[in-house]
Amino acid sequence: ANSLATVTITGAGGQIGYALLFRIASGQLLGPDTAVRLRLLEIPQGLRSAEGAALELQDSAFPLLQSVDVTDDAAGAFDGANVGLLVGSRPRGPGMERGDLLAANGAIFAPQGAAINAGAADDIRIVVVGNPANTNAFIASAHAPDVPRERFTALTRLDHNRALGQLSEALHAPVSQLRDVSIWGNHSATQFPDIAHATAGGRPVVELLEEQLGADAAREWIRDVFIPRVARRGAEIIEVRGSSSVASAASATIDHVRDWVSGTTHGWTSAALPSDGSYGVPDGLVSSFPVQSIDGQWRIVQGLELGAFARERIDASVAELIEEREAVKALGLLG
Ligand code: NAI
């Protein structure tokens, strides 16, 4: 290996953590030339599980794995970190009010943001996986004033990959031939999976669907089948599998960071990042966009034309993000 990177995973003792660790240690995150130091951050109740995973990492004898530390101290975990995968969070439980949800996550992501601000490496890249992911990234960034805000991203790559999977099935086309699908807005049921610019084997996906189904049925399929299925796929997985999306979430997390570091080569992908005002999304709001990764930085794809339907759907999801931001402000979680 030519270089060494420190990768910090929060919630490393949980399910997604378990699915992530072995892929990172095998070199799938940063490539075969980069050795990794893993830092596993947990809360006290999760430490034993993370320690168990560390034993198994040792038993896997990964040549690229230089060290594994398990800790419940955020400052130590993020000291010198180059990549932070923020997986541990407090997801919404049954009957939980939004205020309680945001307050519980503020108590997690505010101190983690401060620890990143204090000690992370200059090239730190953060992706928040733990829900509500966009707003958790917004909170962490607010507590890291010395870290450029664009280093704080949230995961919508799973939604993006789910959209590719659905299109592949509907068009009988391999995923490798699909390009330029977009996820806009919040990683929630309001997200907008957009295929207006997508192509399969170089042909517009919408045209192919119209050929296959007829114009009206294609429009209905997109609106009534495709979009809700992608947006509610998490619930479908829980129903079928009896447990939430874990391996696919870990896989999308790997994809997100790998592309961020190494670049996108096959059209664009989707990621949630602080808006620069593009497409009328308020500046600073962590929202999903079509993005390319160039020279180690995410760039929002510019100049896409949005139809009335797309505009309405994006505005609705952005309105939800604004509400979350206002609630977080009102709770005093932005410091
Ligand atoms: P899990 O419950 O198995 O694991 C979460 C772990 O986080 C637990 O071990 C817990 O002890 C730990 N944790 C809680 N607070 C912590 C803190 N302050 N610091 C460090 N660790 C902490 O959950 P799972 O299945 O691994 O999912 C994790 C999160 O990912 C959930 O919030 C889930 O909603 C979210 N998720 C997001 C997706 C996305 O596409 N953005 C997709 C799938 C899941």
Side-chain angles (χ1 to χ4, degrees):
N2 302 324
S3 55
L4 172 65
T6 298
V7 179
T8 303
I9 300 116
T10 77
Q15 296 196 79
I16 294 174
Y18 190 69
L20 271 173
L21 291 170
F22 298 85
R23 294 194 58 183
I24 300 169
S26 71
Q28 293 177 60
L29 188 75
L30 300 172
D33 294 328
T34 306
V36 284
R37 269 193 202 124
L38 288 177
R39 300 259 183 76
L40 280 47
L41 179 65
E42 261 293 348
I43 48 177
Q45 330 50 309
L47 281 174
R48 288 296 280 167
S49 174
E51 282 163 4
L55 297 182
E56 284 201 77
L57 284 165
Q58 182 181 25
D59 294 350
S60 304
F62 290 112
L64 287 172
L65 184 57
Q66 187 150 112
S67 63
V68 183
D69 296 306
V70 181
T71 180
D72 63 358
D73 170 44
F78 286 110
D79 188 42
N82 305 103
V83 175
L85 311 178
L86 275 48
V87 180
S89 77
R90 181 76 161 82
R92 190 187 290 260
M96 198 172 180
E97 298 292 331
R98 180 164 64 187
D100 297 336
L101 175 79
L102 294 173
N105 280 290
I108 295 172
F109 287 87
Q112 288 180 0
I116 290 162
N117 196 55
D122 285 345
D123 68 347
I124 181 72
R125 290 180 167 90
I126 299 289
V127 57
V128 176
V129 177
N131 283 316
N134 300 51
T135 295
N136 288 341
F138 185 80
I139 294 170
S141 178
H143 290 268
D146 304 329
V147 179
R149 67 182 189 180
E150 64 271 14
R151 305 298 182 78
F152 285 86
T153 66
L155 188 74
T156 52
R157 183 62 171 265
L158 179 56
D159 309 296
H160 181 93
N161 288 348
R162 285 166 169 168
L164 292 176
Q166 291 306 310
L167 284 182
S168 171
E169 185 183 345
L171 297 170
H172 313 289
V175 163
S176 60
Q177 286 194 8
L178 300 175
R179 285 177 58 132
D180 300 343
V181 166
S182 312
I183 304 293
W184 300 86
N186 200 1
H187 170 69
S188 76
T190 68
Q191 67 176 261
F192 176 48
D194 178 12
I195 59 172
H197 306 276
T199 58
R203 292 201 51 209
V205 158
V206 174
E207 254 177 56
L208 291 168
L209 288 168
E210 284 174 357
E211 268 173 31
Q212 205 173 294
L213 304 169
D216 288 346
R219 201 174 326 113
E220 278 166 27
W221 182 83
I222 294 167
R223 195 191 53 208
D224 302 334
V225 179
F226 171 76
I227 293 174
R229 191 149 192 219
V230 171
R232 299 195 194 117
R233 185 70 159 182
E236 184 182 344
I237 299 291
I238 290 173
E239 200 185 303
V240 176
R241 200 174 94 85
S243 168
S244 62
S245 330
V246 173
S248 54
S251 197
T253 306
I254 300 274
D255 290 346
H256 176 107
V257 173
R258 188 202 53 225
D259 284 357
W260 192 356
V261 171
S262 308
T264 40
T265 51
H266 194 68
W268 68 68
T269 184
S270 302
L273 56 154
S275 175
D276 59 1
S278 292
Y279 299 101
V281 179
D283 188 74
L285 209 61
V286 178
S287 176
S288 187
F289 290 98
V291 292
Q292 284 180 297
S293 164
I294 300 164
D295 297 332
Q297 292 189 27
W298 289 123
R299 308 277 168 85
I300 297 171
V301 176
Q302 295 297 325
L304 299 177
E305 246 176 72
L306 301 176
F309 177 68
R311 190 70 259 173
E312 192 184 304
R313 297 294 305 240
I314 293 169
D315 288 348
S317 197
V318 166
E320 182 183 54
L321 285 170
I322 293 171
E323 275 175 36
E324 289 182 15
R325 181 185 66 186
E326 294 314 307
V328 153
K329 251 191 221 161
L331 288 164
L333 297 175
L334 299 182

